[in-house]
Amino acid sequence: QVQLVESGGGLVQSGGSLRLSCAASGSIFSINAMGWYRQAPGKEREAVAVLSSGGSTNYADSVKGRFTISRDNAKNTVYLQMNSLKPEDTAVYYCNLVVSRWAGAISYWGKGTLVTVSL
C-alpha cells in the first residue's frame, strides 16, 4: 500500500505563488510516475504536471511556464511550485503516484489540497 499526503494549499491573490508538497509512504518502489492533477468545481479532473521515473516532465498547456514539478527522492516527496497564479487555477489539487506491480500498474491518489486564487 501507498499513502500520499498533500499540503501547501491555501488562499492566494492573483499573481501570487504557492508550493504544494506530496509526501509518499508505504511500498514505494517501481515508480512509473508521480504527478499533480486538479479538479475545479463542475469540471473533470485534469493532469497538471507529471514527472516520469526517467525524469521527463509533462505540463498542461495552461500552466506551462508558471508551474514546476520536482521530486526529492530522499524525502519521497514531490512538489509543485506554482507561480503567477490565476483565478482559473482555483481547484482541489491531487497528488498521484503510479507504481508497477506484478499484476500491472497501480495508481494511488492523495485526498487533495484546496488552492483558491482570488482576484
Side-chain angles (χ1 to χ4, degrees):
Q1 287 292 328
V2 172
Q3 294 78 43
L4 302 174
V5 179
E6 303 104 331
S7 61
L11 174 64
V12 64
Q13 288 188 331
S14 181
S17 298
L18 282 175
R19 188 176 82 155
L20 305 183
S21 299
C22 172
S25 61
S27 302
I28 310 168
F29 59 92
S30 298
I31 295 175
N32 287 349
M34 294 187 75
W36 290 94
Y37 291 69
R38 69 186 180 187
Q39 187 167 18
K43 295 186 177 181
E44 294 186 353
R45 190 173 298 188
E46 64 174 352
V48 176
V50 178
L51 176 61
S52 74
S53 58
S56 62
T57 56
N58 283 285
Y59 295 94
D61 288 342
S62 59
V63 307
K64 283 181 180 177
R66 300 188 298 122
F67 291 10
T68 303
I69 188 171
S70 62
R71 177 181 171 184
D72 186 331
N73 291 328
K75 296 181 179 180
N76 292 321
T77 299
V78 64
Y79 303 97
L80 185 67
Q81 178 66 44
M82 306 186 294
N83 299 327
S84 303
L85 283 161
K86 305 175 181 180
E88 50 264 44
D89 295 317
T90 295
V92 177
Y93 285 70
Y94 297 91
C95 179
N96 174 257
L97 172 67
V98 181
V99 299
S100 292
R101 297 291 184 261
W102 67 270
I106 301 176
S107 181
Y108 293 95
W109 294 92
K111 293 183 178 181
T113 184
L114 177 63
V115 172
T116 303
V117 184
S118 64
L119 291 170

